[in-house]
Amino acid sequence: MTAEPPRSYSHAPRLPEGEIDPCALLGAERAPVELEIGPGRGGFLFERLAADPEIVMLGLEIRRKWAALVDERLQSRGLGARARVFAEDAKLVLPRFRPASLRAVFVHFPDPWWKKRHEKRLLLTDDLVTALGRAIRSGGELFVQTDVLERSMAYESALLKAADFMPWESSARVADNPYHALSPRERRALADGLPVFRLRFRRV
Ligand SMILES: C[S@@+](CC[C@H](N)C(=O)[O-])C[C@H]1O[C@@H](n2cnc3c(N)ncnc32)[C@H](O)[C@@H]1O
């Protein structure tokens, strides 16, 4: 038996140049648009679409393989008109999103590295927080969760000092995920009995 050659996934979908209008991209003029940054294998996307039939979703996944496979799976399950995943670096493309074009953004377990030398790889930087503040509409939400306590503390203080965001309730820390959808890593953490630190912020 000959082994399959490795696939390059060069066909993974990419975003168009210029300003990105998520509604136009999905052909959904009035539906609320939610964005997941780094969906990986995509479990949250599928469960979230099933949980709320009103919404449409975008995923930005830096790994071409997962962007291509999850986007193909969305189409083969008849969800292609409600969601797409693009092979993009969220840090580069989010500043091009039309202002106030997103109802919610989810960032699940973004930075599994927490050593000093890994800081340049961090996803949730001050620049990304600024871009999120611009892209999320007033009253919209930002949900971030991680299993690394130090990371959750750093995200919380970065978001508390950002003028665009305020805690969803009296505190940004929430015990549960209220979206009726779990990310793959979240599901594994819960199965292993590991703590999950969750933050929910409102766009002011
Ligand atoms: C630790 S995994 C978590 C995957 C998934 N969110 C979950 O909770 O199971 C982090 C994901 O973020 C993606 N990622 C990292 N940096 C990114 C970036 N700058 N833009 C888009 N995706 C990114 C990785 O490729 C990976 O799929």
Side-chain angles (χ1 to χ4, degrees), residues 46 69-80:
F46 290 98
L69 291 178
V70 176
D71 195 64
E72 280 163 19
R73 251 171 238 161
L74 284 165
Q75 290 180 40
S76 67
R77 293 189 196 175
L79 292 166

Side-chain angles (χ1 to χ4, degrees), residues 182-202:
L182 300 180
S183 84
R185 198 165 169 128
E186 178 180 15
R187 192 175 290 287
R188 209 165 52 236
L190 295 178
D192 293 345
L194 296 175
V196 177
F197 307 100
R198 301 184 172 95
L199 301 166
R200 193 178 186 196
F201 281 88
R202 188 188 309 276

Side-chain angles (χ1 to χ4, degrees), residues 7 10 18 29 46 67 69 95 108-109 115 158 163 178 183 193 200-201:
R7 292 179 65 184
S10 54
E29 279 315 317
F46 290 98
L69 291 178
H108 305 298
F109 301 83
K115 298 206 165 66
S183 84
R200 193 178 186 196
F201 281 88

Side-chain angles (χ1 to χ4, degrees), residues 36-40 60-63 88-91 108-110 112-113 123 183-186:
E36 183 179 358
I37 298 180
L60 298 175
E61 171 52 59
I62 203 167
R63 291 183 63 195
E88 300 286 356
D89 181 340
K91 292 197 274 192
H108 305 298
F109 301 83
W113 330 274
L123 172 61
S183 84
R185 198 165 169 128
E186 178 180 15

Side-chain angles (χ1 to χ4, degrees), residues 20-74:
I20 294 153
D21 177 352
C23 274
L25 211 53
L26 288 158
E29 279 315 317
R30 278 179 298 277
V33 185
E34 300 187 352
L35 169 71
E36 183 179 358
I37 298 180
R41 291 161 191 255
F44 178 83
L45 275 178
F46 290 98
E47 292 182 21
R48 181 77 191 127
L49 291 166
D52 188 343
E54 300 295 314
I55 58 150
V56 295
M57 291 195 79
L58 287 180
L60 298 175
E61 171 52 59
I62 203 167
R63 291 183 63 195
R64 277 196 301 206
K65 171 180 174 177
W66 288 115
L69 291 178
V70 176
D71 195 64
E72 280 163 19
R73 251 171 238 161
L74 284 165

